[in-house]
Amino acid sequence: MSVCLVTGGAGFIGSHLVEALVRRGDTVRVLDDFSTGQRQNLAAVAGDIELIEGSIEDEARVQQAAAGVELVFHLAAMVSVPQSMAQPRRAEQLNALGTLNVLTAAQKSGARRLVLSSTCAVYGDEPSMPKTEQSPLRPKSPYAVSKLTAEQYCQLFNESFGLPTAVLRYFNVFGPRQDPSSAYSGVISIFVDKLAQGATPKIFGDGEQTRDFVFVSDVVQANLAAAGTPAAAGQVFNIGTGRPVSINRLFASLAQLLGGPGTPDYQPPRPGDIVHSYADPSLAARVLGWSARVEFEAGLRQTIGAA
Ligand code: UD1
């Protein structure tokens, strides 16, 4: 049993992590400013957690939230790439400086581990696949740059400030509670939403592009493993399945599960899209004993069941 802080705990991934921590008997505090997170996401555990409303930009608030905590899971961030293109300073402010605030507060309170949620976006459009943690980094957006800075602050605190940290680079996370409402939402949440409304999903390009879709409960397990494994300190881990899935296969699976049109609405490719992206997750397997367990179609069924 540990005292935990989850920043961004009202978000899509954060709320699933909070539920898992509550289930295992930890004391859980959530810091969230509800800019993209929602109270509703925490409805099942509202009576079991301490909820602090505030931003990671607010140093005093962060210190208050981190007082006495042993484990910090840092998920609060600007999560939208297009938003970061429109507001690069804001992305830096939240994702880089906000992380610095959380690291400083965690160190002051003597936390024994901080786990950062990072992203495969740090690899950018460099074409070698699968991505290993040694693959070249070519961040292509303020979002990716700010996340890479956050990663580097984590390494620095691990090496020089006495706070053990671990970094998780998520590939394409999906599952219940992912917000489908924006044009830049994850493709799975958009397709589920469209098919449920009887509409025809759009596929940008020929649909043969691939992504490494990892189910949210597996991402939660990766966080728990990164927090509980001493050897994870100072390391960066890819969190993906290692199995690329095409957008055409995704469409076919969902159309079968939900009923709907036999063919998608093919559109021109989305500017800036990369064709293939998938992880080599073997380091996480070796060091954390973690690998993705939820099979793709099983994850889709769970996503739909809760949609
Ligand atoms: C993800 C991020 C993106 C970031 C990129 C960098 C999300 C939601 N997107 O993009 O902001 O730049 O990582 O690593 O996290 N697609 C369709 N129809 C749709 C929506 C998407 O065909 O309605 C296609 C896209 O063209 C793409 C694939 O589905 O080829 C996946 O799209 P998306 O879910 O946005 O993820 P990424 O492209 O990996």
Side-chain angles (χ1 to χ4, degrees):
M1 290 219 319
S2 306
V3 180
C4 304
L5 169 64
V6 182
T7 71
F12 157 48
I13 301 171
S15 61
H16 287 280
L17 175 60
V18 169
E19 286 180 350
L21 292 168
V22 167
R23 262 200 309 275
R24 76 174 193 182
D26 285 10
T27 300
V28 185
R29 204 176 283 159
V30 168
L31 177 67
D32 204 297
D33 68 356
F34 300 105
S35 53
T36 53
Q38 293 177 23
R39 277 174 205 280
Q40 182 57 30
N41 287 342
L42 292 169
V45 289
D48 304 308
I49 61 170
E50 185 187 345
L51 183 56
I52 300 181
E53 185 165 355
S55 169
I56 52 171
E57 292 174 276
D58 179 345
E59 272 184 87
R61 203 71 165 154
V62 176
Q63 272 174 35
Q64 178 201 348
V69 303
E70 300 167 82
L71 302 177
V72 177
F73 299 92
H74 179 37
L75 293 88
M78 178 193 282
V79 295
S80 161
V81 172
Q83 192 187 346
S84 82
M85 300 294 263
Q87 299 177 290
R89 284 184 69 88
R90 187 99 195 96
E92 185 70 9
Q93 180 73 28
L94 282 168
N95 296 354
L97 294 177
T99 297
L100 184 56
N101 288 341
V102 176
L103 284 163
T104 304
Q107 185 225 0
K108 277 192 184 152
S109 57
R112 66 169 191 269
R113 177 64 48 91
L114 180 143
V115 181
L116 172 72
S117 286
S118 188
T119 168
C120 64
V122 297
Y123 298 118
D125 59 3
E126 195 276 326
S128 65
M129 291 294 156
K131 293 299 181 197
T132 73
E133 291 80 359
Q134 276 71 49
S135 293
L137 302 173
R138 289 199 199 151
K140 289 283 175 213
S141 63
Y143 170 73
V145 168
S146 63
K147 279 289 186 176
L148 187 55
T149 304
E151 289 192 3
Q152 289 171 337
Y153 273 129
C154 285
Q155 304 279 37
L156 178 70
F157 271 67
N158 186 77
E159 278 161 32
S160 306
F161 288 74
L163 172 68
T165 63
V167 171
L168 303 180
R169 287 183 184 151
Y170 304 156
F171 281 67
N172 290 59
V173 186
F174 74 106
R177 300 185 202 136
Q178 191 166 28
D179 180 7
S181 63
S182 129
Y184 304 104
S185 297
V187 62
I188 294 183
S189 64
I190 293 175
F191 280 14
V192 168
D193 197 49
K194 286 257 189 285
L195 288 168
Q197 292 170 19
T200 304
K202 291 185 169 59
I203 289 188
F204 302 123
D206 66 3
E208 286 306 301
Q209 68 267 41
T210 59
R211 291 296 183 273
D212 185 335
F213 294 107
V214 57
F215 192 62
V216 66
S217 65
D218 279 325
V219 172
V220 166
Q221 291 306 315
N223 273 273
L224 301 182
T229 307
Q235 300 217 55
V236 176
F237 301 96
N238 284 340
I239 300 302
T241 66
R243 293 182 293 274
V245 169
S246 74
I247 304 306
N248 282 332
R249 176 176 159 202
L250 165 66
F251 172 80
S253 299
L254 282 177
Q256 194 178 20
L257 287 167
L258 285 163
T263 46
D265 174 9
Y266 286 102
Q267 297 282 323
R270 199 167 64 174
D273 248 13
I274 51 175
V275 182
H276 299 295
S277 166
Y278 64 103
D280 173 348
S282 55
L283 184 68
R286 266 200 318 280
V287 177
L288 304 177
W290 176 89
S291 56
R293 293 277 149 79
V294 180
E295 190 266 329
F296 181 57
E297 265 84 12
L300 291 182
R301 282 193 294 277
Q302 285 195 56
T303 305
I304 290 162

